Amino acid sequence: MLVEMVIDGVEVGEDGDSADRVAELLMRIAAGDDTAFGTLYDMMSSRVFGLILRVLVDRAQSEEVLQEVFLEIWQSAGSFAPNRGQGRSWVLTIAHRRAVDRVRSAQAAGERDVRAGMRELNTPAVAVEEQVELRIESRRVARALEALPEAQREALTLAYFGGYSQSEIAALSGTPLGTIKTRMRDGLSRLRTELGVAV
């Protein structure tokens, strides 16, 4: 008896013998039989790949999804119920669902990129005056840092430009934590004086 089904325009014919064979392989895979998995892959991979390629069009993505499909088959073969459907249909349904998921994921990523681009377009550019001010201020800070003793400069640079905590700086430099705290406190005080900032 020939049973036919259509998944996304792909006609799939199943005769009783091969349907029984796929179902038998799936049950063996559920029991952890990797030889059965290899046999199923050899039997079904080209048909599964054709279905995926028809949905995705892109060959590289289709190859990735093919791997995902067979990984899912290996992991979830135990959920196949022979009394509720044929093995080949079960495998092709997984393939179709994975391919459609990939299309939806790509569309969602594209929409996110468009939204991010629109936000950037709506963000006002930094005015030239602000850029000049920032550069001047950066140079002032760099000169003020250069005026500090090396130990204070190193501690402040690691903390504010490297993102390290005081205990991490102590560990990196092999210096007691109390010494690092003192260096940073004294360094900030001298930096304020150099920059002419009132406390």
Side-chain angles (χ1 to χ4, degrees):
M1 173 182 143
L2 182 65
V3 178
E4 292 185 345
M5 71 175 239
V6 176
I7 293 183
D8 197 41
V10 177
E11 191 174 279
V12 179
E14 286 197 61
D15 58 47
D17 292 341
S18 70
D20 291 345
R21 178 79 174 128
V22 172
E24 175 204 332
L25 289 170
L26 286 169
M27 288 185 284
R28 285 173 47 200
I29 291 166
D33 185 340
D34 54 356
T35 304
F37 181 75
T39 303
L40 180 72
Y41 183 87
D42 292 342
M43 181 187 290
M44 296 284 304
S45 61
S46 60
R47 181 170 285 179
V48 169
F49 182 73
L51 171 62
I52 295 167
L53 186 60
R54 213 172 255 226
V55 174
L56 294 178
V57 181
D58 181 276
R59 187 168 193 85
Q61 283 197 41
S62 298
E63 289 169 357
E64 287 177 20
V65 172
L66 178 68
Q67 291 176 5
E68 292 172 8
V69 166
F70 277 92
L71 177 62
E72 183 175 342
I73 290 168
W74 175 257
Q75 292 172 337
S76 64
S79 67
F80 169 67
N83 58 336
R84 289 192 312 185
Q86 296 178 334
R88 188 173 293 169
S89 299
W90 186 79
V91 168
L92 292 173
T93 300
I94 289 173
H96 184 258
R97 189 184 68 238
R98 284 276 181 168
V100 169
D101 286 349
R102 179 65 67 101
V103 169
R104 288 180 181 147
S105 175
Q107 287 173 341
E111 289 168 8
R112 276 193 307 273
D113 290 346
V114 167
R115 284 194 302 271
M118 294 304 289
R119 277 195 304 272
E120 285 181 22
L121 283 175
N122 293 331
T123 303
V126 178
V128 175
E129 310 87 51
E130 289 179 52
Q131 289 180 351
V132 170
E133 252 182 68
L134 286 171
R135 285 189 184 148
I136 291 170
E137 195 61 31
S138 295
R139 287 187 192 126
R140 283 186 64 215
V141 171
R143 278 195 301 271
L145 275 170
E146 287 299 317
L148 297 178
E150 186 178 339
Q152 292 174 359
R153 182 174 59 246
E154 179 187 34
L156 290 174
T157 302
L158 286 171
Y160 292 100
F161 299 109
Y164 292 98
S165 68
Q166 291 177 336
S167 54
E168 289 171 330
I169 296 168
L172 282 171
S173 62
T175 308
L177 180 59
T179 305
I180 293 298
K181 289 181 177 183
T182 302
R183 285 179 185 172
M184 289 183 69
R185 186 189 65 238
D186 293 348
L188 284 172
S189 178
R190 286 188 68 168
L191 202 54
R192 284 189 198 99
T193 303
E194 290 289 333
L195 292 170
V197 177
V199 181

mmCIF file of all heavy atoms in Angstrom, residues 4-27:
data_model
loop_
_atom_site.group_PDB
_atom_site.id
_atom_site.type_symbol
_atom_site.label_atom_id
_atom_site.label_comp_id
_atom_site.label_asym_id
_atom_site.label_seq_id
_atom_site.Cartn_x
_atom_site.Cartn_y
_atom_site.Cartn_z
ATOM 1 N N GLU A 4 0.826 8.628 0.728
ATOM 2 C CA GLU A 4 1.513 9.840 0.308
ATOM 3 C C GLU A 4 1.154 10.975 1.241
ATOM 4 O O GLU A 4 0.040 11.066 1.721
ATOM 5 C CB GLU A 4 1.127 10.217 -1.118
ATOM 6 C CG GLU A 4 1.650 9.237 -2.155
ATOM 7 C CD GLU A 4 1.351 9.703 -3.554
ATOM 8 O OE1 GLU A 4 0.522 10.605 -3.719
ATOM 9 O OE2 GLU A 4 1.950 9.141 -4.486
ATOM 10 N N MET A 5 2.143 11.844 1.464
ATOM 11 C CA MET A 5 1.867 13.056 2.221
ATOM 12 C C MET A 5 2.635 14.193 1.581
ATOM 13 O O MET A 5 3.587 13.974 0.854
ATOM 14 C CB MET A 5 2.238 12.890 3.687
ATOM 15 C CG MET A 5 3.690 12.821 3.991
ATOM 16 S SD MET A 5 3.918 12.780 5.754
ATOM 17 C CE MET A 5 4.910 14.225 5.944
ATOM 18 N N VAL A 6 2.219 15.408 1.848
ATOM 19 C CA VAL A 6 2.877 16.573 1.288
ATOM 20 C C VAL A 6 3.311 17.469 2.430
ATOM 21 O O VAL A 6 2.513 17.809 3.296
ATOM 22 C CB VAL A 6 1.930 17.351 0.344
ATOM 23 C CG1 VAL A 6 2.593 18.617 -0.146
ATOM 24 C CG2 VAL A 6 1.517 16.470 -0.819
ATOM 25 N N ILE A 7 4.618 17.803 2.460
ATOM 26 C CA ILE A 7 5.138 18.759 3.443
ATOM 27 C C ILE A 7 5.750 19.893 2.653
ATOM 28 O O ILE A 7 6.725 19.687 1.932
ATOM 29 C CB ILE A 7 6.201 18.121 4.351
ATOM 30 C CG1 ILE A 7 5.576 17.050 5.232
ATOM 31 C CG2 ILE A 7 6.873 19.172 5.199
ATOM 32 C CD1 ILE A 7 6.527 16.412 6.197
ATOM 33 N N ASP A 8 5.167 21.082 2.755
ATOM 34 C CA ASP A 8 5.658 22.289 2.100
ATOM 35 C C ASP A 8 5.909 22.043 0.609
ATOM 36 O O ASP A 8 6.946 22.383 0.068
ATOM 37 C CB ASP A 8 6.935 22.776 2.791
ATOM 38 C CG ASP A 8 7.233 24.222 2.431
ATOM 39 O OD1 ASP A 8 6.286 25.018 2.377
ATOM 40 O OD2 ASP A 8 8.418 24.536 2.204
ATOM 41 N N GLY A 9 4.967 21.398 -0.055
ATOM 42 C CA GLY A 9 5.080 21.197 -1.485
ATOM 43 C C GLY A 9 5.931 20.004 -1.878
ATOM 44 O O GLY A 9 6.090 19.714 -3.051
ATOM 45 N N VAL A 10 6.512 19.290 -0.939
ATOM 46 C CA VAL A 10 7.335 18.128 -1.253
ATOM 47 C C VAL A 10 6.488 16.895 -1.029
ATOM 48 O O VAL A 10 6.021 16.638 0.078
ATOM 49 C CB VAL A 10 8.598 18.050 -0.344
ATOM 50 C CG1 VAL A 10 9.380 16.792 -0.645
ATOM 51 C CG2 VAL A 10 9.449 19.273 -0.531
ATOM 52 N N GLU A 11 6.273 16.137 -2.100
ATOM 53 C CA GLU A 11 5.468 14.930 -1.969
ATOM 54 C C GLU A 11 6.345 13.804 -1.474
ATOM 55 O O GLU A 11 7.429 13.565 -1.981
ATOM 56 C CB GLU A 11 4.873 14.577 -3.327
ATOM 57 C CG GLU A 11 3.822 13.501 -3.244
ATOM 58 C CD GLU A 11 3.167 13.291 -4.583
ATOM 59 O OE1 GLU A 11 2.264 14.062 -4.939
ATOM 60 O OE2 GLU A 11 3.582 12.353 -5.272
ATOM 61 N N VAL A 12 5.884 13.134 -0.467
ATOM 62 C CA VAL A 12 6.650 12.070 0.144
ATOM 63 C C VAL A 12 5.850 10.792 0.037
ATOM 64 O O VAL A 12 4.759 10.694 0.587
ATOM 65 C CB VAL A 12 6.911 12.383 1.636
ATOM 66 C CG1 VAL A 12 7.696 11.256 2.270
ATOM 67 C CG2 VAL A 12 7.641 13.704 1.777
ATOM 68 N N GLY A 13 6.363 9.804 -0.662
ATOM 69 C CA GLY A 13 5.680 8.519 -0.756
ATOM 70 C C GLY A 13 6.286 7.552 0.232
ATOM 71 O O GLY A 13 7.491 7.495 0.376
ATOM 72 N N GLU A 14 5.472 6.782 0.907
ATOM 73 C CA GLU A 14 5.976 5.788 1.848
ATOM 74 C C GLU A 14 5.296 4.471 1.547
ATOM 75 O O GLU A 14 4.087 4.377 1.600
ATOM 76 C CB GLU A 14 5.651 6.176 3.294
ATOM 77 C CG GLU A 14 6.474 7.285 3.829
ATOM 78 C CD GLU A 14 6.380 7.331 5.337
ATOM 79 O OE1 GLU A 14 6.765 6.350 5.989
ATOM 80 O OE2 GLU A 14 5.923 8.348 5.848
ATOM 81 N N ASP A 15 6.095 3.482 1.227
ATOM 82 C CA ASP A 15 5.464 2.174 1.148
ATOM 83 C C ASP A 15 5.583 1.526 2.515
ATOM 84 O O ASP A 15 6.376 1.935 3.349
ATOM 85 C CB ASP A 15 6.088 1.313 0.039
ATOM 86 C CG ASP A 15 7.574 1.112 0.236
ATOM 87 O OD1 ASP A 15 7.965 0.784 1.375
ATOM 88 O OD2 ASP A 15 8.330 1.269 -0.736
ATOM 89 N N GLY A 16 4.777 0.550 2.756
ATOM 90 C CA GLY A 16 4.704 -0.064 4.069
ATOM 91 C C GLY A 16 6.041 -0.583 4.563
ATOM 92 O O GLY A 16 6.387 -0.427 5.722
ATOM 93 N N ASP A 17 6.846 -1.208 3.670
ATOM 94 C CA ASP A 17 8.108 -1.807 4.097
ATOM 95 C C ASP A 17 9.083 -0.764 4.603
ATOM 96 O O ASP A 17 9.644 -0.896 5.686
ATOM 97 C CB ASP A 17 8.755 -2.592 2.941
ATOM 98 C CG ASP A 17 7.942 -3.827 2.586
ATOM 99 O OD1 ASP A 17 7.133 -4.250 3.437
ATOM 100 O OD2 ASP A 17 8.109 -4.338 1.472
ATOM 101 N N SER A 18 9.316 0.322 3.830
ATOM 102 C CA SER A 18 10.298 1.317 4.269
ATOM 103 C C SER A 18 9.776 2.092 5.471
ATOM 104 O O SER A 18 10.543 2.488 6.340
ATOM 105 C CB SER A 18 10.676 2.259 3.129
ATOM 106 O OG SER A 18 9.608 3.111 2.812
ATOM 107 N N ALA A 19 8.462 2.285 5.566
ATOM 108 C CA ALA A 19 7.886 2.967 6.731
ATOM 109 C C ALA A 19 8.130 2.142 7.981
ATOM 110 O O ALA A 19 8.520 2.670 9.022
ATOM 111 C CB ALA A 19 6.392 3.195 6.526
ATOM 112 N N ASP A 20 7.911 0.847 7.870
ATOM 113 C CA ASP A 20 8.174 -0.031 8.997
ATOM 114 C C ASP A 20 9.660 -0.012 9.355
ATOM 115 O O ASP A 20 10.028 -0.054 10.525
ATOM 116 C CB ASP A 20 7.746 -1.466 8.678
ATOM 117 C CG ASP A 20 6.230 -1.602 8.583
ATOM 118 O OD1 ASP A 20 5.526 -0.680 9.038
ATOM 119 O OD2 ASP A 20 5.766 -2.613 8.034
ATOM 120 N N ARG A 21 10.510 0.043 8.336
ATOM 121 C CA ARG A 21 11.957 0.045 8.557
ATOM 122 C C ARG A 21 12.379 1.299 9.328
ATOM 123 O O ARG A 21 13.169 1.219 10.266
ATOM 124 C CB ARG A 21 12.678 -0.029 7.201
ATOM 125 C CG ARG A 21 14.169 0.009 7.282
ATOM 126 C CD ARG A 21 14.719 -1.346 7.675
ATOM 127 N NE ARG A 21 16.165 -1.301 7.599
ATOM 128 C CZ ARG A 21 16.970 -1.675 8.577
ATOM 129 N NH1 ARG A 21 16.472 -2.132 9.703
ATOM 130 N NH2 ARG A 21 18.267 -1.616 8.446
ATOM 131 N N VAL A 22 11.884 2.475 8.936
ATOM 132 C CA VAL A 22 12.227 3.725 9.626
ATOM 133 C C VAL A 22 11.730 3.673 11.066
ATOM 134 O O VAL A 22 12.447 4.050 11.994
ATOM 135 C CB VAL A 22 11.656 4.957 8.879
ATOM 136 C CG1 VAL A 22 11.845 6.220 9.693
ATOM 137 C CG2 VAL A 22 12.326 5.110 7.515
ATOM 138 N N ALA A 23 10.514 3.193 11.267
ATOM 139 C CA ALA A 23 9.969 3.095 12.624
ATOM 140 C C ALA A 23 10.828 2.167 13.475
ATOM 141 O O ALA A 23 11.140 2.463 14.632
ATOM 142 C CB ALA A 23 8.532 2.596 12.576
ATOM 143 N N GLU A 24 11.240 1.038 12.893
ATOM 144 C CA GLU A 24 12.095 0.092 13.617
ATOM 145 C C GLU A 24 13.431 0.751 13.981
ATOM 146 O O GLU A 24 13.917 0.634 15.114
ATOM 147 C CB GLU A 24 12.344 -1.147 12.748
ATOM 148 C CG GLU A 24 13.327 -2.127 13.359
ATOM 149 C CD GLU A 24 13.999 -3.002 12.304
ATOM 150 O OE1 GLU A 24 13.396 -3.252 11.232
ATOM 151 O OE2 GLU A 24 15.144 -3.408 12.567
ATOM 152 N N LEU A 25 14.020 1.491 13.033
ATOM 153 C CA LEU A 25 15.295 2.174 13.299
ATOM 154 C C LEU A 25 15.134 3.210 14.403
ATOM 155 O O LEU A 25 16.000 3.345 15.274
ATOM 156 C CB LEU A 25 15.826 2.829 12.015
ATOM 157 C CG LEU A 25 16.335 1.866 10.943
ATOM 158 C CD1 LEU A 25 16.608 2.620 9.644
ATOM 159 C CD2 LEU A 25 17.593 1.137 11.409
ATOM 160 N N LEU A 26 14.032 3.940 14.384
ATOM 161 C CA LEU A 26 13.795 4.956 15.412
ATOM 162 C C LEU A 26 13.695 4.322 16.800
ATOM 163 O O LEU A 26 14.220 4.865 17.774
ATOM 164 C CB LEU A 26 12.534 5.768 15.093
ATOM 165 C CG LEU A 26 12.671 6.770 13.945
ATOM 166 C CD1 LEU A 26 11.313 7.316 13.549
ATOM 167 C CD2 LEU A 26 13.627 7.895 14.312
ATOM 168 N N MET A 27 13.047 3.179 16.876
ATOM 169 C CA MET A 27 12.939 2.506 18.174
ATOM 170 C C MET A 27 14.307 2.011 18.646
ATOM 171 O O MET A 27 14.631 2.084 19.830
ATOM 172 C CB MET A 27 11.920 1.375 18.100
ATOM 173 C CG MET A 27 10.487 1.910 18.005
ATOM 174 S SD MET A 27 9.214 0.636 18.053
ATOM 175 C CE MET A 27 9.314 -0.038 16.410
#
